[in-house]
Structures are given as C-alpha cells and as structure tokens.
Amino acid sequence: MTFLTGWGRTAPTPATLVAPRTAERLAALVADAPPRGLVARGLGRAYGDAAQNAGGVVVDLTRLEPRWSFDPETGVVTASAGTSLHELMTALVPKGWFVPVSPGTRHVTVGGAVAADVHGKNHHVDSSLGAHLRSLRLLTADGTIRTLTPPDELFWATVGGMGLTGVIVEASFGCVPIETSRVRVDVERTRDLDHTLEVMAATDDGYRYAVAWIDLLARGPRMGRSVLTRGDHARREELPRGHDPLAFAPSSRLTAPPWAPNGLLNRLTVRAFNEAWYAKARERRIIQDIAPFFHPLDFVQGWNRIYGSRGFVQYQFVVPFGGEGTLRRVVSRLSAEGVVSFLTVLKRFGAGTPGMLSFPMPGWTLSLDIPAGHAGLAELLREFDAWVAEAGGRLYLAKDARMRAELLPVMYPRLQEWAKIRQTADPGGVFRSDLARRLGL
C-alpha cells in the first residue's frame, strides 16, 4: 500500500499503486479491480482527493505508451492519457504551436486535463479543454476501449467526469498556431474590487488571456485591489532582433525544501509579499516568456511543501454574471477575517462545454490557496459554500477536498443525467475514488 494525497497534501489514504505501460495491461487491471474499485492518476495535481482511492487500486498512467503524435497540417495532437502538457509544449512550441488551453501548471497530464475539463486564462474567449477535443479513447468497465466523439453522450459524461466513467487512454485535440514563444502582456493596477470588476468586464474581451491577482489582506477602501495581467501571443516583429522567436526550454529554477515549518505563510509574510507585488506592478506593456506568464509557480519544484506538513486548501468557485454581490461578500469576509491566501486569482468565464460535471460556466471565478491550519477555516468555507450555491454557482471538483454531498446536486443540476450515463457505462461501480465516496457519486 502507498499513501497518496492531492497537491494540497491533506487527508492521505492508502491504495495499491500500479503503473502499466500498455493498454492491454491497463485492461487487465480493470478486469481484476478489487471491491474498492480503481481510479486513474496522472501527476497528482488535483488538489483534493479526486485521484485517491482508499483501500483500492490507483493506476498511474504516466508510463502509458505510445506517447503522442502531431499532424502539422491540421494542428491536431493525439496523446496518451499520461502525457504531460509540459512534454507537449516542450516539443510543440518550437514548432510554432501551443496547446488550446493551459491551466496554471504545465505538470498535468492529458487524461487529468480531460477528466477535470481544465480551463485557463483564455476561458472568456476559448472555453475549456473540452471545447477543443476531437475524440477520446476510453477504457470502460467491460474491458473494451471505446472511441468517443462529441456526439456521444458518454463523451460529455467523461469530459469533467473526474475519471469515474472509465479510464481515459488517449485524447485528440486541436492546437493553436503561434509566431513566437512570448506573450505581449499589459499590466494594470486597480484600486479596489469594484474597480477590478469594472476594468475586467470592459477590457478582457480585447485579449485572449486575462487574469487578476487580488490582495486579500488589503482592507477598507483598498479592499480587493488587484493587479491585472492581460495578453496575447506576441508576433515576430515585436521581438528584439537576434532572438530565436520560438525558443522554449522551461525548467524549475528552485526546489522547495523537503519540509517547511507550519505557519511560514502567515499574515506578516504574505502581507509583505502583497505590498511588494502591488508596488512593482506599475502600468506597462511587457514581452514575457510563455512559462512565467502561464506557469509562474512551476519555477519552484515542489512548491506545495512551503505550506508545511498540514498542507493547504485550494478553494475555487464560480458565480454567474449577476452574482457579483456574492463575490464581493466573499472577498469582504476574507479581508475582514485576515485570511492568508498566498495566491488569489480572479478570472471571467465565457461559454461552458456540454460536460455534465464540467465546472466552468459564464461568470466570475475566484480561487484561493489557504493554509490548512487557519483557525475557523472549515466553518468559514461551509458558509461560503452556501452563498455560492444560493447564487447559482458551484465549486471546482478537481480542487475540492471538503464539500458536503448535499450541495452537489444543487451546484451541478445535470448530476442525475450524468449518473444515469455513468451507471450504464459502469454498472458494477468499478471506477471509484475518495472524492466519489465523499460526495456520493
């Protein structure tokens, strides 16, 4: 047995961990699944318990062959589920192509990205990964590998389905042509939350990528002050002469220590960082490499260890447009309570996909990283859950580690539709996870 956690490093549970190299071996594991079932796992970047399975089997797909192929005529990549976005970007960016959607880290697998229907800074323009998928190959409970396309209802039950309809073996999706490996970025500061929402609503649609960093420890008239970064892929003529326009070889420059004391990220240290970051972010236009713009935390290998042995809670919700009052209420409460969140990010979502358990919907999404030892955190987040549900919003299952099961059908109104399709595909309940048991999926 191996003890596994999510990226937040909370609630470890034991499971039998196996790493098949072939689809045939994977099918044999599914056929021999124990009573506690089986769930797939990639690079372990789900923050909560979605890729854990206490007492059962967890299948590490990162060694699955073949890896990937690319058609430069169509821009379509076909990749095994265990292929990382880092591997794809390292190969494709120098050829003039970029993935259609990138979350905040390159170190996620294709299978995990599909299962969570990941979104990025371009959701307001390009939606989530599911909108760019051409096909999936899914290993179902009967041992067959089915090729699924968007007309199939099982396709959309799998996109965002958290690995509970089967094991994603392979996925094909279209990529984006680019001229350079840089991003043209406009930086702007806002004075408070209302100003942040106003500027984002007025200007985001003029950029492919847009995000706001919020200073949660700012109070009074500065509450919700933010730094906006909005950008597009830079063109060749915007780069200085003599630079390789498509050079791309990102790596981790630092490594977090194997341990860090609990409480290292506290109000004093985070407030100092926030003040420095806000002061530095004067209004300007810069040309930035892809890696620091999309994946700044990837420069520190194992950055999740900085939160100490207790780990941290990633809390992300979305409320529909018109629910700005709920967003203000949450930010105001967090500011008043002095909640420490090292990274607080606000984005605007555009159209969602038909994924029945897909998280994004048109509206505002806020994500927080909160040390797990924060006093009163459980009660505070339960209160936020109720506010979000009342506003017609939802929590992101790929980051959740503590939501109550009774809120799931409220937040995901297509849950029963998904459950019927899942029941047909897996009548014996072979595919299970700690998240599934906790939420009654």
mmCIF file of all heavy atoms in Angstrom, residues 13-39:
data_model
loop_
_atom_site.group_PDB
_atom_site.id
_atom_site.type_symbol
_atom_site.label_atom_id
_atom_site.label_comp_id
_atom_site.label_asym_id
_atom_site.label_seq_id
_atom_site.Cartn_x
_atom_site.Cartn_y
_atom_site.Cartn_z
ATOM 1 N N THR A 13 -4.516 8.795 2.060
ATOM 2 C CA THR A 13 -5.160 7.492 2.193
ATOM 3 C C THR A 13 -4.322 6.446 1.466
ATOM 4 O O THR A 13 -3.646 6.740 0.482
ATOM 5 C CB THR A 13 -6.593 7.498 1.612
ATOM 6 O OG1 THR A 13 -6.552 7.930 0.241
ATOM 7 C CG2 THR A 13 -7.508 8.413 2.411
ATOM 8 N N PRO A 14 -4.377 5.165 1.928
ATOM 9 C CA PRO A 14 -3.554 4.120 1.321
ATOM 10 C C PRO A 14 -4.259 3.439 0.151
ATOM 11 O O PRO A 14 -5.465 3.231 0.172
ATOM 12 C CB PRO A 14 -3.358 3.136 2.480
ATOM 13 C CG PRO A 14 -4.630 3.260 3.272
ATOM 14 C CD PRO A 14 -5.064 4.697 3.151
ATOM 15 N N ALA A 15 -3.485 3.097 -0.868
ATOM 16 C CA ALA A 15 -4.012 2.378 -2.026
ATOM 17 C C ALA A 15 -2.891 1.567 -2.649
ATOM 18 O O ALA A 15 -1.707 1.816 -2.398
ATOM 19 C CB ALA A 15 -4.588 3.355 -3.049
ATOM 20 N N THR A 16 -3.271 0.607 -3.459
ATOM 21 C CA THR A 16 -2.297 -0.129 -4.259
ATOM 22 C C THR A 16 -2.019 0.668 -5.522
ATOM 23 O O THR A 16 -2.923 0.909 -6.321
ATOM 24 C CB THR A 16 -2.831 -1.521 -4.623
ATOM 25 O OG1 THR A 16 -3.083 -2.259 -3.428
ATOM 26 C CG2 THR A 16 -1.826 -2.281 -5.475
ATOM 27 N N LEU A 17 -0.774 1.101 -5.700
ATOM 28 C CA LEU A 17 -0.407 1.955 -6.828
ATOM 29 C C LEU A 17 0.292 1.118 -7.893
ATOM 30 O O LEU A 17 1.286 0.437 -7.613
ATOM 31 C CB LEU A 17 0.521 3.080 -6.356
ATOM 32 C CG LEU A 17 0.937 4.121 -7.391
ATOM 33 C CD1 LEU A 17 -0.278 4.914 -7.861
ATOM 34 C CD2 LEU A 17 1.994 5.055 -6.808
ATOM 35 N N VAL A 18 -0.222 1.140 -9.108
ATOM 36 C CA VAL A 18 0.373 0.391 -10.219
ATOM 37 C C VAL A 18 0.550 1.337 -11.406
ATOM 38 O O VAL A 18 -0.185 2.313 -11.548
ATOM 39 C CB VAL A 18 -0.495 -0.815 -10.625
ATOM 40 C CG1 VAL A 18 -0.482 -1.874 -9.541
ATOM 41 C CG2 VAL A 18 -1.928 -0.382 -10.929
ATOM 42 N N ALA A 19 1.542 1.020 -12.254
ATOM 43 C CA ALA A 19 1.865 1.898 -13.379
ATOM 44 C C ALA A 19 2.028 1.093 -14.660
ATOM 45 O O ALA A 19 3.142 0.751 -15.062
ATOM 46 C CB ALA A 19 3.137 2.685 -13.081
ATOM 47 N N PRO A 20 0.929 0.761 -15.334
ATOM 48 C CA PRO A 20 1.011 -0.037 -16.564
ATOM 49 C C PRO A 20 1.621 0.762 -17.712
ATOM 50 O O PRO A 20 1.494 1.983 -17.771
ATOM 51 C CB PRO A 20 -0.449 -0.379 -16.851
ATOM 52 C CG PRO A 20 -1.218 0.759 -16.252
ATOM 53 C CD PRO A 20 -0.460 1.146 -15.014
ATOM 54 N N ARG A 21 2.252 0.036 -18.623
ATOM 55 C CA ARG A 21 2.844 0.668 -19.803
ATOM 56 C C ARG A 21 1.985 0.506 -21.055
ATOM 57 O O ARG A 21 2.144 1.261 -22.009
ATOM 58 C CB ARG A 21 4.235 0.087 -20.065
ATOM 59 C CG ARG A 21 5.268 0.453 -19.020
ATOM 60 C CD ARG A 21 6.640 -0.096 -19.391
ATOM 61 N NE ARG A 21 7.649 0.274 -18.415
ATOM 62 C CZ ARG A 21 8.335 1.411 -18.435
ATOM 63 N NH1 ARG A 21 8.110 2.287 -19.393
ATOM 64 N NH2 ARG A 21 9.238 1.672 -17.516
ATOM 65 N N THR A 22 1.094 -0.468 -21.048
ATOM 66 C CA THR A 22 0.301 -0.742 -22.244
ATOM 67 C C THR A 22 -1.188 -0.721 -21.927
ATOM 68 O O THR A 22 -1.605 -0.941 -20.781
ATOM 69 C CB THR A 22 0.653 -2.120 -22.833
ATOM 70 O OG1 THR A 22 0.246 -3.148 -21.906
ATOM 71 C CG2 THR A 22 2.146 -2.237 -23.096
ATOM 72 N N ALA A 23 -1.982 -0.509 -22.975
ATOM 73 C CA ALA A 23 -3.431 -0.531 -22.814
ATOM 74 C C ALA A 23 -3.910 -1.925 -22.445
ATOM 75 O O ALA A 23 -4.906 -2.070 -21.716
ATOM 76 C CB ALA A 23 -4.104 -0.064 -24.104
ATOM 77 N N GLU A 24 -3.203 -2.964 -22.912
ATOM 78 C CA GLU A 24 -3.585 -4.334 -22.586
ATOM 79 C C GLU A 24 -3.421 -4.602 -21.096
ATOM 80 O O GLU A 24 -4.296 -5.215 -20.460
ATOM 81 C CB GLU A 24 -2.741 -5.319 -23.399
ATOM 82 C CG GLU A 24 -3.024 -5.320 -24.898
ATOM 83 C CD GLU A 24 -2.446 -4.119 -25.622
ATOM 84 O OE1 GLU A 24 -1.546 -3.443 -25.040
ATOM 85 O OE2 GLU A 24 -2.880 -3.844 -26.752
ATOM 86 N N ARG A 25 -2.321 -4.147 -20.537
ATOM 87 C CA ARG A 25 -2.100 -4.320 -19.093
ATOM 88 C C ARG A 25 -3.122 -3.504 -18.300
ATOM 89 O O ARG A 25 -3.636 -3.955 -17.267
ATOM 90 C CB ARG A 25 -0.680 -3.879 -18.738
ATOM 91 C CG ARG A 25 -0.359 -3.863 -17.252
ATOM 92 C CD ARG A 25 -0.559 -5.214 -16.602
ATOM 93 N NE ARG A 25 -0.255 -5.160 -15.173
ATOM 94 C CZ ARG A 25 -0.827 -5.927 -14.261
ATOM 95 N NH1 ARG A 25 -1.754 -6.823 -14.619
ATOM 96 N NH2 ARG A 25 -0.496 -5.818 -13.000
ATOM 97 N N LEU A 26 -3.441 -2.330 -18.792
ATOM 98 C CA LEU A 26 -4.445 -1.498 -18.141
ATOM 99 C C LEU A 26 -5.801 -2.195 -18.140
ATOM 100 O O LEU A 26 -6.511 -2.206 -17.116
ATOM 101 C CB LEU A 26 -4.532 -0.157 -18.862
ATOM 102 C CG LEU A 26 -5.522 0.874 -18.341
ATOM 103 C CD1 LEU A 26 -5.248 1.207 -16.891
ATOM 104 C CD2 LEU A 26 -5.449 2.139 -19.201
ATOM 105 N N ALA A 27 -6.176 -2.805 -19.253
ATOM 106 C CA ALA A 27 -7.449 -3.520 -19.330
ATOM 107 C C ALA A 27 -7.486 -4.684 -18.350
ATOM 108 O O ALA A 27 -8.530 -4.963 -17.733
ATOM 109 C CB ALA A 27 -7.684 -4.015 -20.757
ATOM 110 N N ALA A 28 -6.349 -5.359 -18.176
ATOM 111 C CA ALA A 28 -6.289 -6.468 -17.221
ATOM 112 C C ALA A 28 -6.487 -5.969 -15.791
ATOM 113 O O ALA A 28 -7.145 -6.635 -14.975
ATOM 114 C CB ALA A 28 -4.949 -7.190 -17.354
ATOM 115 N N LEU A 29 -5.959 -4.810 -15.477
ATOM 116 C CA LEU A 29 -6.145 -4.237 -14.143
ATOM 117 C C LEU A 29 -7.604 -3.900 -13.892
ATOM 118 O O LEU A 29 -8.127 -4.115 -12.790
ATOM 119 C CB LEU A 29 -5.279 -2.987 -13.982
ATOM 120 C CG LEU A 29 -3.771 -3.211 -13.892
ATOM 121 C CD1 LEU A 29 -3.030 -1.876 -14.027
ATOM 122 C CD2 LEU A 29 -3.412 -3.878 -12.568
ATOM 123 N N VAL A 30 -8.272 -3.370 -14.904
ATOM 124 C CA VAL A 30 -9.698 -3.063 -14.763
ATOM 125 C C VAL A 30 -10.500 -4.345 -14.557
ATOM 126 O O VAL A 30 -11.411 -4.405 -13.713
ATOM 127 C CB VAL A 30 -10.195 -2.282 -15.992
ATOM 128 C CG1 VAL A 30 -11.721 -2.169 -15.984
ATOM 129 C CG2 VAL A 30 -9.570 -0.896 -16.036
ATOM 130 N N ALA A 31 -10.159 -5.395 -15.307
ATOM 131 C CA ALA A 31 -10.878 -6.677 -15.177
ATOM 132 C C ALA A 31 -10.706 -7.278 -13.790
ATOM 133 O O ALA A 31 -11.607 -7.958 -13.291
ATOM 134 C CB ALA A 31 -10.374 -7.649 -16.240
ATOM 135 N N ASP A 32 -9.564 -7.033 -13.159
ATOM 136 C CA ASP A 32 -9.272 -7.603 -11.844
ATOM 137 C C ASP A 32 -9.448 -6.598 -10.708
ATOM 138 O O ASP A 32 -8.900 -6.786 -9.618
ATOM 139 C CB ASP A 32 -7.829 -8.131 -11.821
ATOM 140 C CG ASP A 32 -7.634 -9.302 -12.760
ATOM 141 O OD1 ASP A 32 -8.614 -10.009 -13.025
ATOM 142 O OD2 ASP A 32 -6.491 -9.494 -13.226
ATOM 143 N N ALA A 33 -10.197 -5.539 -10.958
ATOM 144 C CA ALA A 33 -10.352 -4.499 -9.937
ATOM 145 C C ALA A 33 -10.940 -5.075 -8.651
ATOM 146 O O ALA A 33 -11.879 -5.877 -8.687
ATOM 147 C CB ALA A 33 -11.250 -3.379 -10.463
ATOM 148 N N PRO A 34 -10.413 -4.686 -7.492
ATOM 149 C CA PRO A 34 -10.907 -5.196 -6.212
ATOM 150 C C PRO A 34 -12.237 -4.556 -5.831
ATOM 151 O O PRO A 34 -12.717 -3.637 -6.512
ATOM 152 C CB PRO A 34 -9.793 -4.786 -5.244
ATOM 153 C CG PRO A 34 -9.247 -3.528 -5.831
ATOM 154 C CD PRO A 34 -9.309 -3.719 -7.322
ATOM 155 N N PRO A 35 -12.846 -4.995 -4.747
ATOM 156 C CA PRO A 35 -14.139 -4.432 -4.335
ATOM 157 C C PRO A 35 -14.118 -2.914 -4.130
ATOM 158 O O PRO A 35 -15.140 -2.254 -4.341
ATOM 159 C CB PRO A 35 -14.437 -5.170 -3.027
ATOM 160 C CG PRO A 35 -13.713 -6.468 -3.162
ATOM 161 C CD PRO A 35 -12.460 -6.158 -3.912
ATOM 162 N N ARG A 36 -12.969 -2.363 -3.726
ATOM 163 C CA ARG A 36 -12.895 -0.911 -3.515
ATOM 164 C C ARG A 36 -12.660 -0.155 -4.813
ATOM 165 O O ARG A 36 -12.590 1.075 -4.818
ATOM 166 C CB ARG A 36 -11.777 -0.582 -2.521
ATOM 167 C CG ARG A 36 -12.008 -1.125 -1.124
ATOM 168 C CD ARG A 36 -13.031 -0.304 -0.362
ATOM 169 N NE ARG A 36 -12.527 0.997 0.037
ATOM 170 C CZ ARG A 36 -13.218 1.872 0.739
ATOM 171 N NH1 ARG A 36 -14.470 1.597 1.100
ATOM 172 N NH2 ARG A 36 -12.703 3.035 1.086
ATOM 173 N N GLY A 37 -12.550 -0.866 -5.917
ATOM 174 C CA GLY A 37 -12.500 -0.216 -7.214
ATOM 175 C C GLY A 37 -11.142 0.316 -7.612
ATOM 176 O O GLY A 37 -10.113 0.025 -6.994
ATOM 177 N N LEU A 38 -11.188 1.143 -8.655
ATOM 178 C CA LEU A 38 -9.964 1.618 -9.319
ATOM 179 C C LEU A 38 -10.183 3.032 -9.825
ATOM 180 O O LEU A 38 -11.280 3.375 -10.275
ATOM 181 C CB LEU A 38 -9.637 0.669 -10.462
ATOM 182 C CG LEU A 38 -8.510 0.951 -11.433
ATOM 183 C CD1 LEU A 38 -7.923 -0.372 -11.943
ATOM 184 C CD2 LEU A 38 -9.005 1.787 -12.628
ATOM 185 N N VAL A 39 -9.137 3.847 -9.770
ATOM 186 C CA VAL A 39 -9.202 5.180 -10.354
ATOM 187 C C VAL A 39 -7.855 5.503 -10.980
ATOM 188 O O VAL A 39 -6.812 5.028 -10.517
ATOM 189 C CB VAL A 39 -9.578 6.256 -9.293
ATOM 190 C CG1 VAL A 39 -8.429 6.528 -8.328
ATOM 191 C CG2 VAL A 39 -10.026 7.547 -9.969
#
